[in-house]
Amino acid sequence: MDYQFQFGEILLNSDLLARGIWVTLELFALSFPAALLAGLVLSLGRISQMRWVNLIASAYIELFRNTPVLVQLIWFYYAFPVLTGWKTTAFNSALLGLFLNTSAYSAEIWRAGLQSVARSQWEGAQALGMTWRRTLWRVILPQAGRRMIPAFTNRAVELAKMTSIASVITVPELMYQAKMLSSSTYLPMETFAVTAVIYFIIIYPGTLAAYWLERRLGARGG
């Protein structure tokens, strides 16, 4: 192969990729914790005995789980302002779309985790006089948490990768900056090779941390 790789040109423009990394991390850091919390609330609604609460939570979850996240981001950026009159930035549209999509998937993870705990645990806590809320936080969630770590790790990895879709609506995250750099340098192979390495460096440490936490909790019996 006669092609000469020119990674030096990419390194000379590393400031563009650095700005993209920062925006990518912002999208992740703002959407993931909020989605986890919203997912817990939605899962409680999904298993609620109140029919109207169950229907609302179920409709939300199914809507955002069964439509592509790309469509959701484009809809919030282009259609939502037209329908509501509320102007929004590309960043906020991407943040909202990623949050809603991830919260819907997180809700199903929470639901599966909560329902995996034996019903006798709820009944035993209630027999001791514990309130429903106290039972949830002190008895059920600690047991369910260890079982949900692998699923939440996968969800976090998926979200970190999904941030790249925000480039479609011109959010200047890592993938958008990589496309701009590729267009200006005419070096797509070098640009996207470096971009792939950056994504790996960002995501893999979190995966290792989750594995460590899972093993630690497993050794302690959850």
Side-chain angles (χ1 to χ4, degrees):
M1 185 174 66
D2 295 331
Y3 185 83
Q4 298 294 318
F5 289 96
Q6 302 178 55
F7 287 102
E9 186 69 22
I10 307 304
L11 296 178
L12 289 175
N13 293 277
S14 59
D15 58 318
L16 295 176
L17 297 179
R19 287 199 291 270
I21 293 171
W22 178 252
V23 175
T24 292
L25 293 176
E26 279 187 309
L27 285 171
F28 180 86
L30 292 174
S31 60
F32 190 63
L36 288 185
L37 181 59
L40 175 58
V41 175
L42 287 165
S43 70
L44 295 175
R46 188 82 184 253
I47 63 178
S48 173
Q49 298 300 314
M50 300 177 66
R51 185 168 177 78
W52 66 272
V53 173
N54 183 285
L55 286 174
I56 292 174
S58 298
Y60 177 105
I61 292 169
E62 296 306 327
L63 173 63
F64 290 106
R65 285 179 69 232
N66 292 288
T67 54
V69 67
L70 175 59
V71 173
Q72 294 167 20
L73 264 63
I74 292 176
W75 192 91
F76 282 114
Y77 185 55
Y78 291 107
F80 186 72
V82 174
L83 295 175
T84 63
W86 295 350
K87 294 184 179 180
T88 184
T89 64
F91 181 88
N92 289 336
S93 297
L95 186 62
L96 181 59
L98 293 171
F99 160 74
L100 293 174
N101 184 271
T102 303
S103 65
Y105 279 96
S106 297
E108 288 299 275
I109 296 173
W110 281 113
R111 182 176 66 84
L114 294 175
Q115 292 182 333
S116 71
V117 179
R119 184 66 188 174
S120 60
Q121 296 294 312
W122 290 93
E123 296 169 350
Q126 290 173 354
L128 294 174
M130 297 178 69
T131 64
W132 180 89
R133 183 179 300 178
R134 194 173 186 85
T135 300
L136 177 67
W137 289 103
R138 298 291 297 274
V139 179
I140 305 304
L141 285 179
Q143 295 183 63
R146 178 171 60 87
R147 304 170 189 176
M148 294 185 289
I149 289 177
F152 278 132
T153 299
N154 289 337
R155 197 70 248 151
V157 169
E158 287 301 314
L159 176 60
K161 293 187 290 187
M162 279 197 303
T163 58
S164 63
I165 299 176
S167 63
V168 174
I169 57 174
T170 70
V171 177
E173 45 71 62
L174 179 56
M175 181 57 68
Y176 180 85
Q177 298 289 12
K179 289 194 292 187
M180 295 299 100
L181 183 57
S182 174
S183 298
S184 63
T185 60
Y186 300 101
L187 298 171
M189 284 197 292
E190 292 88 338
T191 301
F192 291 110
V194 170
T195 302
V197 170
I198 292 173
Y199 273 114
F200 182 83
I201 292 173
I202 291 173
I203 295 171
Y204 191 56
T207 303
L208 290 178
Y211 289 155
W212 175 84
L213 180 59
E214 185 181 356
R215 288 194 300 269
R216 186 174 179 83
L217 290 176
R220 294 169 55 184

